[in-house]
């Protein structure tokens, strides 16, 4: 019945990736291969792939394609946004549904004037192509995730120095800027006002081993992988580069540990920034800092008495 309606192209005894290579989707297949996603799409699945035709890829602004070619993390994220786990067929799209992609953000389907639309912008331009490990939906353009940036995390912090100047100073002091230029992270970035109450206390530059403490403190603000605000959940624990987890609560507004998330989903090409109103300290680092301060105070007192 679905074939009769033109909603199903037919069955292909190939993986979704093999079909893309062989049948007018070679451009997106090449991009999948460059991002090392070809192995995934040749795997057991099942996968639903929103596949831009070669014509759709050719119509993309050349500047965008050059940018993607020079940013492997951004390219992989963009491509993962075109893949959904499981079989999702056109009748489900017509009914209207929300699809959770491998990238983490959602695609919203709708049916407008006899055409299936993705995010109200991109048309599904052909029937379902059923493969042995999934289904392919031809589309007439590249999909862009709702939270998607062209500047890396370090550049985002630099360009917003009106509120992240202190944070950028600590990045520079610890030589961690390259970390934010590569890899994929969720960054909980304290605004300038958040640092004021800490600078003359446990974060004083005279504190012993301060460089090590600064580095570990900053790593506690970084979560591997990109997590938009919609991917945060009540009671969630997210493990940081420091090693200790941060705790997410939503009941009184979005918070990470004791800090309020005051501006979420600032996009970057290699992740996302959430601005917060306090500095985060892991318990082990906090105890270390307190001990360092006590020792420094004791030494100062002894010198004054001597």
């Amino acid at each position: 019945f679905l074939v009769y309606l033109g909603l199903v192209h037919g069955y292909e005894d190939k993986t979704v990736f093999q079909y893309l290579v062989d049948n007018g989707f070679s451009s997106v297949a090449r991009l999948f291969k460059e991002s090392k996603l070809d192995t995934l799409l040749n795997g057991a699945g099942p996968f639903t792939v929103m596949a831009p035709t070669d014509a759709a890829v050719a119509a993309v602004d050349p500047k965008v394609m050059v940018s993607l070619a020079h940013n492997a993390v951004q390219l992989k994220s963009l491509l993962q946004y075109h893949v959904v786990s499981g079989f999702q067929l056109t009748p489900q799209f017509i009914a209207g549904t929300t699809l959770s992609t491998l990238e983490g953000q959602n695609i919203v389907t709708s049916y407008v004037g006899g055409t299936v639309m993705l995010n109200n912008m991109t048309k599904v331009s052909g029937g379902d192509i059923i493969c042995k490990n999934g289904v392919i939906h031809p589309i007439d353009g590249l999909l862009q995730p709702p939270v998607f940036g062209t500047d890396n995390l370090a550049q985002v912090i630099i360009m917003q120095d009106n509120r992240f100047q202190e944070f950028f100073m600590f990045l520079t002091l610890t030589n961690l800027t390259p970390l934010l230029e590569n890899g994929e992270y969720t960054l909980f970035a304290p605004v300038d006002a958040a640092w004021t109450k800490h600078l003359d206390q446990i974060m004083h530059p005279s504190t012993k081993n301060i460089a090590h403490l600064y580095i570990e403190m900053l790593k506690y603000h970084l979560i591997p992988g990109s997590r938009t605000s919609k991917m945060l959940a009540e009671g969630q624990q997210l493990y940081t580069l420091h090693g200790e987890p941060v705790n997410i609560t939503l009941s009184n507004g979005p918070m990470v540990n004791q800090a309020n998330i005051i501006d979420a989903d600032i996009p970057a090409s290699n992740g996302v920034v959430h601005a917060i109103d306090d500095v985060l300290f892991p318990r082990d680092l906090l105890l270390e800092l307190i001990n360092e301060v006590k020792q420094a105070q004791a030494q100062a007192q002894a010198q004054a008495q001597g």
Side-chain angles (χ1 to χ4, degrees):
F1 180 68
L2 293 177
V3 175
Y4 177 77
L5 290 177
L7 299 179
V8 174
H9 172 84
Y11 175 76
E12 298 286 340
D13 190 25
K14 300 179 179 181
T15 67
V16 290
F17 182 76
Q18 289 171 330
Y19 186 89
L20 294 176
V21 171
D22 296 339
N23 295 275
F25 300 92
S26 58
S27 295
V28 75
R30 174 178 53 80
L31 296 176
F32 276 125
K33 187 174 181 64
E34 288 176 2
S35 294
K36 297 180 172 57
L37 292 172
D38 54 320
T39 302
L40 176 74
L41 297 182
N42 275 324
F47 303 105
T48 298
V49 180
M50 316 300 169
T53 62
D54 285 348
V57 175
V60 176
D61 186 337
K63 292 180 180 179
V64 173
M65 297 307 295
V66 170
S67 175
L68 290 172
H70 288 85
N71 192 321
V73 173
Q74 185 183 42
L75 175 60
K76 185 174 183 179
S77 176
L78 182 74
L79 293 172
Q80 287 176 320
Y81 188 65
H82 289 72
V83 182
V84 176
S85 292
F87 278 102
Q88 300 288 335
L89 301 176
T90 296
Q92 294 165 281
F93 292 0
I94 291 174
T97 189
T98 298
L99 306 172
S100 180
T101 70
L102 296 190
E103 188 267 346
Q105 298 187 67
N106 294 334
I107 296 171
V108 177
T109 74
S110 57
Y111 191 59
V112 181
T115 301
V116 177
M117 302 292 293
L118 306 180
N119 295 339
N120 292 320
M121 294 178 61
T122 304
K123 295 180 181 178
V124 176
S125 55
D128 301 348
I129 303 167
I130 308 297
C131 299
K132 64 182 182 181
N133 69 336
V135 57
I136 296 170
H137 299 282
I139 60 177
D140 70 350
L142 278 179
L143 298 172
Q144 181 172 307
V147 179
F148 188 74
T150 57
D151 299 303
N152 65 49
L153 289 165
Q155 291 171 325
V156 169
I157 295 299
I158 292 170
M159 289 188 293
Q160 299 199 29
D161 65 349
N162 61 315
R163 57 175 171 173
F164 296 125
Q165 188 172 14
E166 294 288 347
F167 187 76
F168 180 67
M169 180 192 71
F170 281 107
L171 286 174
T172 303
L173 288 173
T174 54
N175 295 316
L176 287 180
T177 303
L179 188 66
L180 297 189
E181 296 173 337
N182 302 287
E184 184 180 27
Y185 301 105
T186 298
L187 170 61
F188 292 104
V191 296
D192 288 342
W195 298 91
T196 305
K197 52 189 170 185
H198 301 291
L199 291 177
D200 293 328
Q201 300 172 14
I202 56 179
M203 297 308 295
H204 195 277
S206 63
T207 303
K208 185 180 178 182
N209 297 325
I210 194 63
H212 158 71
L213 298 175
Y214 282 165
I215 289 172
E216 292 307 312
M217 180 268 296
L218 291 176
K219 285 183 176 180
Y220 190 60
H221 291 75
L222 282 166
I223 313 296
S226 180
R227 293 178 179 269
T228 64
S229 59
K230 290 184 178 180
M231 298 167 68
L232 303 179
E234 178 70 29
Q236 193 175 39
Q237 282 195 324
L238 302 176
Y239 278 85
T240 68
L241 285 190
H242 169 70
E244 293 294 317
V246 293
N247 298 297
I248 302 298
T249 55
L250 304 177
S251 55
N252 294 314
M255 298 181 69
V256 52
N257 289 2
Q258 83 289 353
N260 295 294
I261 299 175
I262 56 177
D263 188 5
D265 298 335
I266 304 168
S269 62
N270 61 332
V272 63
V273 179
H274 303 301
I276 57 177
D277 67 356
D278 204 353
V279 180
L280 306 177
F281 293 99
R283 180 171 177 79
D284 62 330
L285 186 63
L286 187 59
L287 293 174
E288 186 176 348
L289 284 165
I290 291 172
N291 288 333
E292 294 285 0
V293 170
K294 287 181 178 179
Q295 290 178 16
Q297 291 174 340
Q299 290 175 358
Q301 186 177 11
Q303 292 173 355
Q305 292 175 348

